[in-house]
Amino acid sequence: MVGTPATPLCKVQRTPAMTPGGGPKVREEKILVTVRMRPLNQREQAMYDLIAWDCVDDHTIVFKNPNHERPANQYSFDRVFDPSSSTRKVYEDGAKDVALSALTGINATIFAYGQTSSGKTFTMRGITENAVKDIYEHIKNTQEREFVLKLSAMEIYNETVVDLLNRDSGCLRLLDDPEKGTIVEKLVEEVVKDSQHLKHLIGICEAQRQVGETALNDKSSRSHQIIRLTIESSLRENAECVKSFLASLNLVDLAGSERVSQTNADGVRLKEGSHINRSLLTLTTVIRKLSSGGKKSGHIPYRDSKLTRILQNSLGGNARTAIICTISPALSHVEQTRNTLTFATSAKEVINNAHVNMIISDKRLVKHLQKEVARLEAKLRTPEPTSASCLQSLLMEKELKIQEMEREMEELKRQRDIAHSQLEQERKARKVQKGLNQRGPSSKGVRCLFFDSEPVPGSPDARPRKTVGRYSTLRQSTTSTDPSTLVHEIRKLEQRQRQLGEEANRALEVLHKEVSSHRLGNKETAEAIAKMLFEIKDMQAISSIPEDVMIGNGANLKEEITRLNSQGCTIESLEKKLENVQKSIDILVSSISNGEETPEFKTQMKKKKILPFTLKNSTNMQNIIRAPCSPLSSSHKIMEQDIENKAPEDNENVSSRSHKSPGSFKTPPSKADARQVSSREGTPSTKQTNSVDVKKMQRMFKNAAEENIRSIRAYVTELKERVAKLQYQKQLLVCQQRSLKQMMQKVIFNPRCHGTWCSRIKGSRLSCYGTCAMFQLYIEHSFICCSGETQLIRYIWKLSLEG
Ligand SMILES: Nc1ncnc2c1ncn2[C@@H]1O[C@H](COP(=O)(O)OP(=O)(O)OP(=O)(O)O)[C@@H](O)[C@H]1O
């Protein structure tokens, strides 16, 4: 079995790993030089010639100097074969690796060099036979590759190139090819069918070679013979791979150097010998130059002989080269042998740069392209069924998507039309409302809130600009559809409701204390206050909400709103109660004013010389009464942040109250007054009043009374505002609940319903609600401010007159 040839380690220097088809393509390698010494031939034996050389080991040959005439010297080579070595051994150790490199795309050259009759032809025949045998064995064992062998043969006879396979072609020219180097024109290249065919062709070459008889050799080769075996190989299965290995194996049998004195040549032989020696001299020069520094050392005279031109790649070029130097052991040829060994010594220093040669075979390329064309044509004629079905399903999917989008577009168009019609109705309603506003708003109409999709009559332009801003903020906060936010809003409203009740109760209790402590008013007044207290407490009871109810999540929103709806009457009744309180205050004021005019009251007042509110309690009163809207009040802070539902700022009373400091309500302007009042609290009043400046005190108490009454009135007004706000926010929540229900229904019946139109419609509805509610509150504020004004002014004037 023949494997891929391996280069002996001793031969590889500065050589990177070589992998055909991969890795480094170039490997530097010295020429493999071996020496084969033949036995003494019959002629030498007949002459009793002596053996002058001794192969001391496989690498060393030593001149034995039998006559001791010259100093013994030794030569070392890659391999030295003694006369007993077989040609197979010479092939195995000195040529096989290089020869089989041609199977892996590396050029290889094996040639024999030596004097005439040294055994070159004998050795090269054996090498060629073994190489052919191994090559075909390798091909046999490498079925994955397809090998193509071609044989060409030439001889250089008297410096002319002759085709050994076609002698009739005459002298062949040498051409220089930029890629291939020197090529022989019109050299026949025979495709080798098999090993036998190869042997046959080689036999033809042998037969065609110039051979002549000389004094030293009966069949002396008179020419240099070059048998060139071109090996191309490619992978069989990989049709995509169009590259192939291509290499040449040169088997060169040189003509032997000869001495005319020894060969006794004349005439033709002398001429032949002259040409032989000249070409061999050129070869020696080339080898010597290559060995002494390579191509860098200067000009290499390849072109000085056809032999060196043809073998240029093998001498320091792209090839692996093995030189077998044949020598005669005879003492009579010692000088020729020394020359051969000197040549061999130089040759072993020559470095070649072999690389794997890969080509793209035209034939393979055409074949590959034809296959590809046929495959594509077949694919075009019969498209794959899987791709067709895939395309069909894709088409259906797209069709469905288009239909779905069309449906969505229809739905959007429908919603757009609805929104347009609603907007149109709203515009009309605004126009109608504008007309109504010009004639004067109807309190009945504006107090009605609309929370459905119907257009709402009401003019946003009729309300104060600042208030619109406040309500738009409120609307934004309450239009959130987040259930948890809505529930949170409900809770805040309920908390404020409780606060209102508590504050009202506190205020009325203080008022009751003030009145009862000074025994102010008559029985009716006391009853009125008691009624007020009862009503406030009743109000608290109505608005009280269990505090342990936690703020629910979105799932509880519905329950929360249901509960809030059920409290609608509660808020309405709360509003009524507040109105009752307002009335009670009015009654109280009127009763006080009436009481002032009764003789009993005048007498009582004269006796006691006191006024309805003491300075001390007046301070407490104002603190308590002002608490809900005082800057220091926590509830006031909440209202500022969250509600902004204040009385219109053009309300004179509220405005003045909010800008006054608590100290401004202390009526006494002097320290004397304060001392008098203070001393009056701890001593009998009848004694103290004699020393008081009655007029001053009257003005002082009149002012105090005015402030307290203003505070009460403003506070009740504020309570009404808040109740109205609660009503408004409750209605907003109910509205949101309805909107949520509608949205859910839309989502259920049409999951792909676009949200943009829904949100726009909802936004427009809420805007209408906000407008109506604002208008209602504005009217309420105006009503409240006007309702108590007359009575209070009258009461104040009466107090001052009384004082
Ligand atoms: N190693 C060897 N063992 C036995 N006989 C050999 C050996 N080498 C050569 N001979 C014999 O020596 C004779 C000359 O050999 P060969 O023709 O091969 O020499 P050559 O170098 O080719 O000579 P030339 O250069 O003249 O052609 C032949 O008869 C051959 O059989």
Side-chain angles (χ1 to χ4, degrees):
M1 176 177 174
V2 178
T4 303
T7 304
L9 289 176
C10 61
K11 287 296 296 177
V12 179
Q13 292 181 18
R14 302 185 299 275
T15 304
M18 187 278 293
T19 306
K25 297 285 179 67
V26 178
R27 75 186 266 175
E28 290 185 346
E29 184 184 49
K30 285 185 176 179
I31 291 176
L32 177 65
V33 178
T34 57
V35 174
R36 185 185 193 189
M37 185 168 69
R38 66 162 170 81
L40 290 172
N41 59 24
Q42 289 180 351
R43 189 176 290 111
E44 292 163 345
Q45 287 175 0
M47 293 172 65
Y48 300 102
D49 208 343
L50 296 175
I51 295 175
W53 302 91
D54 186 17
C55 299
V56 294
D57 57 34
D58 288 344
H59 303 283
T60 310
I61 185 169
V62 179
F63 179 64
K64 291 200 293 187
N65 191 15
N67 297 327
H68 302 285
E69 293 174 352
R70 295 182 180 180
N73 50 8
Q74 64 179 29
Y75 299 87
S76 295
F77 301 101
D78 295 312
R79 189 71 166 85
V80 171
F81 301 101
D82 61 18
S84 65
S85 298
S86 66
T87 304
R88 180 68 192 179
K89 181 71 175 171
V90 174
Y91 166 76
E92 291 281 353
D93 294 349
K96 183 179 178 179
D97 289 344
V98 175
L100 296 183
S101 296
L103 292 166
T104 55
I106 298 171
N107 295 324
T109 297
I110 300 166
F111 63 89
Y113 178 92
Q115 73 169 110
T116 185
S117 76
S118 62
K120 300 183 290 295
T121 302
F122 180 84
T123 301
M124 284 309 296
R125 278 180 186 158
I127 296 292
T128 302
E129 281 179 16
N130 281 286
V132 168
K133 183 183 172 187
D134 284 352
I135 285 168
Y136 273 96
E137 192 156 347
H138 176 85
I139 291 171
K140 185 182 170 184
N141 293 329
T142 314
Q143 292 295 320
E144 69 273 14
R145 298 188 75 88
E146 182 183 7
F147 290 88
V148 178
L149 273 65
K150 295 174 185 174
L151 183 76
S152 61
M154 69 194 95
E155 70 172 354
I156 304 169
Y157 176 72
N158 292 341
E159 205 60 13
T160 59
V161 180
V162 177
D163 190 342
L164 292 177
L165 293 176
N166 185 18
R167 283 207 75 92
D168 299 335
S169 60
C171 178
L172 302 179
R173 291 195 307 163
L174 297 183
L175 303 175
D176 291 321
D177 186 90
E179 289 183 2
K180 298 177 182 176
T182 302
I183 58 172
V184 181
E185 188 184 33
K186 295 179 182 176
L187 183 68
V188 173
E189 196 172 40
E190 196 82 33
V191 176
V192 179
K193 297 174 184 172
D194 50 30
S195 62
Q196 291 301 320
H197 184 220
L198 179 58
K199 286 176 185 174
H200 170 71
L201 292 172
I202 292 170
I204 292 172
C205 296
E206 290 282 342
Q208 295 295 322
R209 190 180 181 188
Q210 294 285 345
V211 176
E213 186 180 355
T214 65
L216 296 177
N217 191 351
D218 297 337
K219 293 182 178 177
S220 175
S221 302
R222 308 314 294 167
S223 64
H224 307 300
Q225 176 187 269
I226 303 169
I227 294 174
R228 180 171 288 171
L229 188 65
T230 304
I231 303 171
E232 183 180 340
S233 70
S234 56
L235 289 168
R236 292 177 191 275
E237 294 176 358
N238 191 354
E240 300 297 322
C241 181
V242 293
K243 288 188 175 180
S244 304
F245 291 142
L246 180 67
S248 296
L249 172 60
N250 294 315
L251 300 166
V252 183
D253 179 15
L254 297 175
S257 59
E258 57 190 34
R259 287 186 171 179
V260 179
S261 60
Q262 288 180 326
T263 57
N264 297 322
D266 57 355
V268 177
R269 294 291 174 263
L270 183 63
K271 185 185 175 185
E272 291 168 353
S274 171
H275 283 292
I276 291 166
N277 287 337
R278 191 184 301 166
S279 64
L280 289 176
L281 180 62
T282 305
L283 176 64
T284 304
T285 306
V286 168
I287 292 291
R288 183 170 47 80
K289 285 199 175 254
L290 288 172
S291 65
S292 61
K295 294 176 181 178
K296 297 174 185 174
S297 62
H299 174 67
I300 309 294
Y302 289 111
R303 301 185 71 87
D304 285 359
S305 74
K306 289 186 178 172
L307 176 67
T308 50
R309 266 185 89 180
I310 292 170
L311 295 180
Q312 183 172 342
N313 257 341
S314 306
L315 304 170
N318 177 24
R320 297 185 72 196
T321 302
I323 297 177
I324 303 169
C325 294
T326 55
I327 59 171
S328 167
L331 183 62
S332 59
H333 299 302
V334 67
E335 290 301 324
Q336 291 288 358
T337 301
R338 283 185 188 275
N339 291 337
T340 301
L341 293 177
T342 302
F343 172 85
T345 302
S346 297
K348 72 180 185 181
E349 300 301 325
V350 175
I351 297 169
N352 283 352
N353 299 291
H355 61 261
V356 177
N357 301 290
M358 299 194 74
I359 60 158
I360 298 174
S361 166
D362 293 344
K363 192 177 175 182
R364 283 183 65 85
L365 187 60
V366 169
K367 201 173 174 182
H368 170 73
L369 292 174
Q370 284 173 344
K371 278 185 183 175
E372 189 66 18
V373 168
R375 188 182 66 81
L376 291 172
E377 283 178 351
K379 197 174 182 180
L380 281 174
R381 280 196 298 272
T382 55
E384 292 178 12
T386 51
S387 64
S389 63
C390 183
L391 281 173
Q392 201 169 0
S393 63
L394 202 66
L395 204 65
M396 285 178 67
E397 192 181 337
K398 296 282 178 192
E399 192 69 31
L400 286 173
K401 274 188 180 175
I402 289 168
Q403 288 176 5
E404 194 176 325
M405 287 171 76
E406 283 175 352
R407 280 198 299 274
E408 283 182 10
M409 278 176 66
E410 287 300 320
E411 177 62 22
L412 288 171
K413 280 179 186 174
R414 192 181 66 78
Q415 290 180 14
R416 182 198 62 190
D417 294 340
I418 292 170
H420 278 169
S421 63
Q422 286 177 351
L423 282 171
E424 197 59 36
Q425 286 176 352
E426 191 178 352
R427 279 197 203 102
K428 286 177 185 174
R430 280 182 182 179
K431 283 179 186 174
V432 171
Q433 186 60 36
K434 230 175 191 176
L436 287 173
N437 287 341
Q438 286 170 357
R439 291 192 299 271
S442 166
S443 61
K444 191 177 181 181
V446 296
R447 288 175 75 86
C448 181
L449 291 174
F450 294 88
F451 294 102
D452 54 17
S453 60
E454 292 300 317
V456 181
S459 172
D461 299 329
R463 62 178 181 265
R465 187 176 294 276
K466 204 165 184 178
T467 316
V468 172
R470 290 173 183 169
Y471 271 84
S472 62
T473 309
L474 180 61
R475 191 179 65 236
Q476 284 172 9
S477 68
T478 53
T479 51
S480 168
T481 53
D482 182 9
S484 62
T485 309
L486 294 176
V487 172
H488 185 67
E489 289 294 324
I490 293 167
R491 290 299 179 211
K492 282 205 290 188
L493 290 174
E494 289 169 351
Q495 190 181 358
R496 286 172 202 146
Q497 193 176 341
R498 282 199 304 277
Q499 284 176 349
L500 283 175
E502 288 169 2
E503 288 164 3
N505 190 38
R506 281 161 56 199
L508 267 294
E509 279 180 353
V510 169
L511 189 65
H512 177 68
K513 280 180 185 175
E514 290 293 329
V515 174
S516 59
S517 66
H518 297 287
R519 297 176 187 176
L520 181 67
N522 52 20
K523 190 180 177 183
E524 290 177 359
T525 306
E527 285 176 355
I529 291 172
K531 191 182 174 188
M532 279 167 61
L533 277 174
F534 175 76
E535 284 170 348
I536 293 291
K537 283 179 181 174
D538 190 25
M539 214 165 62
Q540 272 189 298
I542 287 168
S543 62
S544 64
I545 293 163
E547 292 187 4
D548 57 346
V549 177
M550 300 298 291
I551 293 174
N553 51 19
N556 297 329
L557 178 63
K558 200 170 177 181
E559 296 173 9
E560 292 291 330
I561 291 172
T562 307
R563 186 175 62 77
L564 201 70
N565 279 334
S566 67
Q567 288 179 354
C569 59
T570 306
I571 292 175
E572 286 171 5
S573 59
L574 188 65
E575 192 177 10
K576 283 182 182 175
K577 297 285 178 189
L578 272 175
E579 285 178 359
N580 288 337
V581 170
Q582 176 74 46
K583 286 176 186 173
S584 298
I585 290 171
D586 294 342
I587 292 167
L588 176 64
V589 170
S590 63
S591 66
I592 288 172
S593 60
N594 292 334
E596 287 169 356
E597 292 173 354
T598 57
E600 186 183 350
F601 180 77
K602 285 179 180 175
T603 310
Q604 197 173 11
M605 291 302 290
K606 280 178 183 174
K607 279 181 182 176
K608 294 179 180 177
K609 298 291 181 186
I610 57 169
L611 288 173
F613 304 106
T614 62
L615 291 178
K616 179 190 170 196
N617 286 335
S618 174
T619 307
N620 293 335
M621 179 70 175
Q622 88 186 18
N623 286 337
I624 292 168
I625 288 176
R626 284 176 52 78
C629 41
S630 166
L632 301 173
S633 168
S634 61
S635 62
H636 177 80
K637 285 178 186 172
I638 292 170
M639 298 299 284
E640 283 288 330
Q641 290 169 2
D642 298 335
I643 302 173
E644 300 181 357
N645 187 19
K646 295 177 180 175
E649 290 185 4
D650 55 357
N651 186 327
E652 186 184 359
N653 294 320
V654 175
S655 176
S656 63
R657 178 169 49 89
S658 63
H659 286 88
K660 283 182 179 179
S661 65
S664 64
F665 285 86
K666 290 182 179 177
T667 311
S670 65
K671 290 181 182 177
D673 293 340
R675 277 197 306 273
Q676 288 161 2
V677 174
S678 177
S679 63
R680 186 189 63 205
E681 290 175 355
T683 56
S685 59
T686 50
K687 292 179 182 177
Q688 298 295 328
T689 50
N690 294 330
S691 60
V692 174
D693 185 341
V694 177
K695 285 187 178 179
K696 261 190 175 180
M697 288 297 289
Q698 280 177 348
R699 276 201 303 276
M700 186 175 67
F701 289 128
K702 176 189 166 189
N703 290 335
E706 282 175 1
E707 286 297 328
N708 284 316
I709 288 166
R710 277 198 205 102
S711 297
I712 292 167
R713 189 190 62 183
Y715 176 62
V716 172
T717 302
E718 195 171 314
L719 288 181
K720 288 216 71 174
E721 285 175 27
R722 294 182 189 183
V723 170
K725 185 196 125 314
L726 285 172
Q727 182 74 11
Y728 161 71
Q729 291 182 346
K730 177 213 138 186
Q731 293 296 343
L732 270 186
L733 290 171
V734 172
C735 164
Q736 286 183 347
Q737 182 204 15
R738 289 181 186 174
S739 298
L740 277 173
K741 279 180 182 175
Q742 288 175 359
M743 279 175 61
M744 286 172 69
Q745 284 173 356
K746 282 185 180 179
V747 169
I748 289 166
F749 292 113
N750 187 6
R752 294 183 175 276
C753 178
H754 201 279
T756 309
W757 292 105
C758 294
S759 60
R760 283 182 62 182
I761 293 164
K762 192 171 70 179
S764 64
R765 285 177 192 168
L766 290 172
S767 176
C768 295
Y769 310 150
T771 303
C772 292
M774 277 305 304
F775 198 78
Q776 178 200 11
L777 285 175
Y778 175 70
I779 296 299
E780 282 182 349
H781 283 306
S782 305
F783 177 76
I784 291 163
C785 292
C786 295
S787 61
E789 191 73 27
T790 312
Q791 291 181 5
L792 285 168
I793 291 170
R794 193 174 58 184
Y795 169 64
I796 290 161
W797 277 111
K798 282 187 177 180
L799 278 177
S800 64
L801 288 173
E802 185 66 24

